[in-house]
Amino acid sequence: MKSFLKAAGLSVAILTTSMYASAADAAQKVGYVSTGAVMSQLAQKNNLNEKLRAEFKDRVAEIERMKEKLSEGVEKLKRNGELMSEDERIKLQRELQSMESDYKLKVKALQEDQRKRGGQEESKLVKKLKTAIDQVAEQEGYDIVLDANAILYANPGDDLSEKVINAVK
């Protein structure tokens, strides 16, 4: 019986000690960042849309010229199609089909290139954001930093979003 009491007492002591250890582990400092809003502000701050627009402006202008030329050709075919000979009309239709194919191909290539470049720039921003979050968390003594969308409630004092924006280089 004495050994049973000693074992029970030892078990209670171990259980109590482990509860205090768990409570100490639970006392970590947790912060949060609204990453979507921060990314949006960083994109504006870095004029990301303007950079991409400037980078692709020549190709966009070329596509606009192609579209205008294609529209003029279609209008010419509508206007003068009945007055043209069969050979002239077929020739113009083939030219328009070729122009349309080329136009669609260039539009698709431009959209793909814009998507890739946008992704590259976004990836750069994500890396900067991650570095800034790590830096702010370390400076402020946070053990865990979560995305604001992943939590239901948090103390506004633990919002690190503005500090992260200011920390991005």
Side-chain angles (χ1 to χ4, degrees), residues 15-26:
L15 183 62
T16 306
T17 305
S18 67
M19 285 183 2
Y20 285 120
S22 295
D25 286 342

Side-chain angles (χ1 to χ4, degrees), residues 17-62:
T17 305
S18 67
M19 285 183 2
Y20 285 120
S22 295
D25 286 342
Q28 295 177 338
K29 192 170 180 184
V30 179
Y32 64 96
V33 176
S34 181
T35 54
V38 171
M39 282 292 289
S40 176
Q41 287 184 13
L42 292 178
Q44 289 176 351
K45 183 178 178 182
N46 292 329
N47 295 324
L48 186 60
N49 289 336
E50 293 300 321
K51 286 179 185 177
L52 292 176
R53 199 171 291 131
E55 185 175 328
F56 291 104
K57 75 176 182 175
D58 295 336
R59 288 175 63 188
V60 169
E62 178 187 357

Side-chain angles (χ1 to χ4, degrees), residues 9 12 47 52 59-60 69 85 116 142:
V12 169
N47 295 324
L52 292 176
R59 288 175 63 188
V60 169
K69 191 173 180 182
S85 70
K116 283 181 184 177
Y142 283 89

Side-chain angles (χ1 to χ4, degrees), residues 108-130:
K108 187 175 182 179
L110 174 65
Q111 289 171 341
E112 182 66 22
D113 290 347
Q114 285 176 327
R115 186 190 61 75
K116 283 181 184 177
R117 280 292 294 130
Q120 289 171 346
E121 291 299 320
E122 186 175 321
S123 178
K124 288 179 187 177
L125 278 180
V126 167
K127 286 179 184 177
K128 287 181 180 180
L129 178 62
K130 171 72 171 111

